[in-house]
Amino acid sequence: MSKDLKQQFVSHLFNARNRVRFAMDDMFKPLDITDATWRTLFFLRQEGNGLQQKELAKTMGIESPSLVRLLDNLAKKSLIERRTDPNDRRSNTLYLTKKSEALFEQLDVLSKQARESVLKDVSNEDIKTCIRVFEKILSAQPNE
């Protein structure tokens, strides 16, 4: 019995994501950067300084308590700063530090190498098609 086409697509999507993640992990090992560390930093950079912790957790698709430990480690390494949210004293906002910006210079070079390796046999046209599909998936309303 063959797999449903959409099931096969989602299965390949998860496997492709893991392939990219493992390639990044391999490239970042010499910098002593873990998957959890680089993903947190990348998401924070993507969303911008001043993001609330709970919003970062939501963006990353993890629970807030799981994020707290990651942020504690990043703060100990001076890669992020936590600041009290001026609009909600119960919340913290997050900021990248100069040290994390310097780290990004290295991570950007290494992540480009990982992308080039993983996507070496994929045409630009195929990549554009995937981006269009991902944009549709990301813009779809849940439970439609």
Side-chain angles (χ1 to χ4, degrees):
M1 186 164 136
S2 67
K3 286 184 180 178
D4 168 278
L5 190 59
K6 290 180 180 179
Q7 179 185 2
Q8 188 177 4
F9 174 82
V10 170
S11 176
H12 283 356
L13 180 63
F14 287 145
N15 290 334
R17 180 226 180 257
N18 284 338
R19 176 78 49 94
V20 171
R21 193 183 100 210
F22 295 148
M24 297 279 202
D25 285 348
D26 289 345
M27 295 301 280
F28 297 162
K29 270 184 192 163
L31 300 176
D32 194 32
I33 298 295
T34 65
D35 172 59
T37 301
W38 69 258
R39 287 184 62 244
T40 304
L41 290 171
F42 274 107
F43 276 112
L44 182 54
R45 180 169 71 170
Q46 174 184 303
E47 296 299 315
N49 279 329
L51 188 67
Q52 286 187 344
Q53 282 184 206
K54 63 184 175 186
E55 291 302 316
L56 180 59
K58 181 179 175 184
T59 299
M60 293 178 66
I62 63 175
E63 297 294 322
S64 289
S66 300
L67 181 61
V68 169
R69 193 181 89 246
L70 293 171
L71 296 176
D72 287 344
N73 290 333
L74 291 171
K76 283 179 192 169
K77 293 179 180 182
S78 300
L79 294 171
I80 64 155
E81 288 179 12
R82 287 182 173 122
R83 299 180 193 165
T84 302
D85 187 335
N87 300 316
D88 182 355
R89 293 172 126 344
R90 298 167 297 166
S91 296
N92 285 323
T93 54
L94 304 169
Y95 294 83
L96 295 170
T97 63
K98 291 199 183 304
K99 185 175 179 180
S100 64
E101 293 298 334
L103 176 63
F104 271 120
E105 290 180 23
Q106 295 175 292
L107 295 177
D108 288 342
V109 169
L110 295 172
S111 64
K112 182 178 181 184
Q113 291 173 2
R115 286 191 307 272
E116 294 296 327
S117 174
V118 170
L119 298 172
K120 69 179 184 271
D121 296 326
V122 182
S123 73
N124 283 341
E125 283 306 308
D126 286 344
I127 291 171
K128 288 176 186 176
T129 298
C130 286
I131 289 171
R132 281 193 304 277
V133 170
F134 296 151
E135 286 172 345
K136 286 182 180 185
I137 292 169
L138 293 170
S139 67
Q141 295 300 316
N143 301 321
E144 278 190 351

